[in-house]
Each structure stands twice: as C-alpha cells, then as structure tokens.
Amino acid sequence: MRIAVLALQGAFEEHRALLKKCNADSFEIRNLEDWNQPKDGLIIPGGESTTMSKLLHELGLLEPVQDAIRNGLPVFGTCAGLIMLAETIEGKPEKRFSTMNIVARRNAYGRQLGSFFTIGKMKGIEKEIPMTFIRAPYIESVKDGVEILAEVDGKIVAARQGNQLATAFHPELNEDVSVHSYFLKMIRDSKK
Ligand code: GLN
C-alpha cells in the first residue's frame, strides 16, 4: 500500500508518521511529477485552505487531483483537507476539489474557541478516539450518498462518501492510529 500525502504546507509529516505505524508506505506530493507516481490513496492534511488552494492552482495540481478523486481514488481530508473536499463552503468562492457532497463552515467554532480536544466515537471504529480540533471547520449538512461518521456536541465532524473520508479533527496529531487504519481498510475494500 502506497499513500500519497499532499505536502504543500500544513501537517503532512504527522500523517506520514501514523501511516508508517500502520505499516503503509507514503510519499509527498509537491508537484505534478510527484503526483504522477503510482498510488493507492491520497491524504490531504490540515493547514490553511486558502493557501493550499492557491498553491494547488499555481502548480497545476488542482485539476489532476480532482479528476483522480472523481474517478474513485480513495482520499482522506483532515480539517483544511475537509474544506478542500467540500462541495460548498459558506461564503468561500476559491477553487477547491469540491468533490464531496457536504456543506462545511470554516473556522466554525470561532477563532478563540476553535482549538480543543475531546474523546469521541466514530462509526466503524470500536473504541473512543482522541479528537484534536484546531481552528476547525464542521460539516453543516450532508447530501446524497454521504454517511455521517461522527458528531461532537451535535455538530458533524466526520463523514464518508464512497471512497472519500473527511474529518474536521486531526487524528494525525495523536498517537492513535484508528482513523488511519479505517482509511487503509477503505482502500483495501475498494480493491475487492
Ligand atoms: N482554519 C483552517 C482553514 O480554514 C483549517 C485549520 C486546520 O486545518 N487546522 O483552512
């Protein structure tokens, strides 16, 4: 299993460390040449979605990545990665992948209270998992084909649509590998 990790900015090294713990290989995507390597899945890390969007556009990566996701490449977006996947963002016109049938709100918890830690349940994972939120978005609503996987205080914080997985929190910032294992299983299942 070889996972591409978008590495333009943000928390990509932490994702690679957790993948390693799960015995999955990974490599960094910084340009089109990197992108053209064979891969079984893609992780879009947290960071700053406006910057990420701008860099993707400038590097000519936005459309090839978007096409691959549309064609079924398994993808996992965390935080800013969730924003990149969301079809609709309240008041945000900038270019994103927009492949997932969700409406998300950026910096949804407010700038001051936006960062917090909790422990919660996610569908498909047996135990409770750590959830670290950093100036996080949440999912306001989901449309056709999207399964809600986790809610915290009545807000949707994880969802899946076919081969697309998105979390508002950062599983890569804790030691627990459950969400990454879930994603790797999603990839294995998609090959069956
Ligand atoms: N608030 C950031 C954004 O809107 C996301 C924060 C994060 O990824 N930790 O892009």
Side-chain angles (χ1 to χ4, degrees):
M1 196 86 87
R2 196 154 182 263
I3 311 300
V5 181
L6 192 64
L8 303 181
Q9 56 106 225
F12 52 88
E13 275 167 18
E14 292 83 350
H15 276 291
R16 295 194 66 194
L18 276 204
L19 288 170
K20 196 169 173 197
K21 253 177 118 175
C22 298
N23 293 319
D25 288 335
S26 68
F27 67 103
E28 295 178 4
I29 305 288
R30 295 174 189 274
N31 53 44
L32 257 182
E33 205 180 320
D34 296 336
W35 174 249
N36 288 329
Q37 295 181 56
K39 55 203 158 292
D40 299 296
L42 168 69
I43 290 183
I44 308 168
E48 213 287 312
S49 54
T50 309
T51 310
M52 213 182 280
S53 161
K54 193 167 164 278
L55 290 170
L56 281 163
H57 189 59
E58 283 170 11
L59 291 162
L61 275 166
L62 197 86
E63 283 176 12
V65 175
Q66 186 181 47
D67 285 348
I69 298 171
R70 285 197 181 129
N71 288 329
L73 179 76
V75 63
F76 173 24
T78 56
C79 202
L82 177 153
I83 294 169
M84 295 304 298
L85 290 174
E87 167 161 83
T88 310
I89 299 288
E90 296 295 312
K92 269 283 130 184
E94 85 238 0
K95 284 181 182 287
R96 302 180 317 277
F97 301 127
S98 309
T99 47
M100 204 170 166
N101 230 348
I102 57 177
V103 179
R105 179 176 287 273
R106 264 185 95 187
N107 297 318
Y109 296 93
R111 296 223 171 239
Q112 296 305 316
L113 298 171
S115 303
F116 62 96
F117 174 82
T118 188
I119 290 176
K121 286 288 288 176
M122 179 167 146
K123 206 168 163 186
I125 296 175
E126 285 298 309
K127 56 177 186 182
E128 292 200 309
I129 54 168
M131 296 177 172
T132 299
F133 293 81
I134 301 174
R135 299 208 299 113
Y138 60 64
I139 300 172
E140 271 191 348
S141 59
V142 305
K143 297 183 206 158
D144 288 353
V146 181
E147 184 184 14
I148 295 171
L149 298 180
E151 290 182 57
V152 169
D153 293 336
K155 309 284 190 231
I156 305 165
V157 296
R160 175 174 175 178
Q161 177 181 358
N163 281 344
Q164 301 184 69
L165 172 68
T167 63
F169 55 93
H170 290 265
E172 78 284 8
L173 297 185
N174 300 101
E175 298 288 304
D176 190 285
V177 296
S178 305
V179 184
H180 287 71
S181 301
Y182 178 98
F183 178 54
L184 294 171
K185 181 172 183 305
M186 215 171 110
I187 297 176
R188 284 194 298 275
D189 290 347
S190 76
K191 292 179 188 286
K192 279 180 190 161

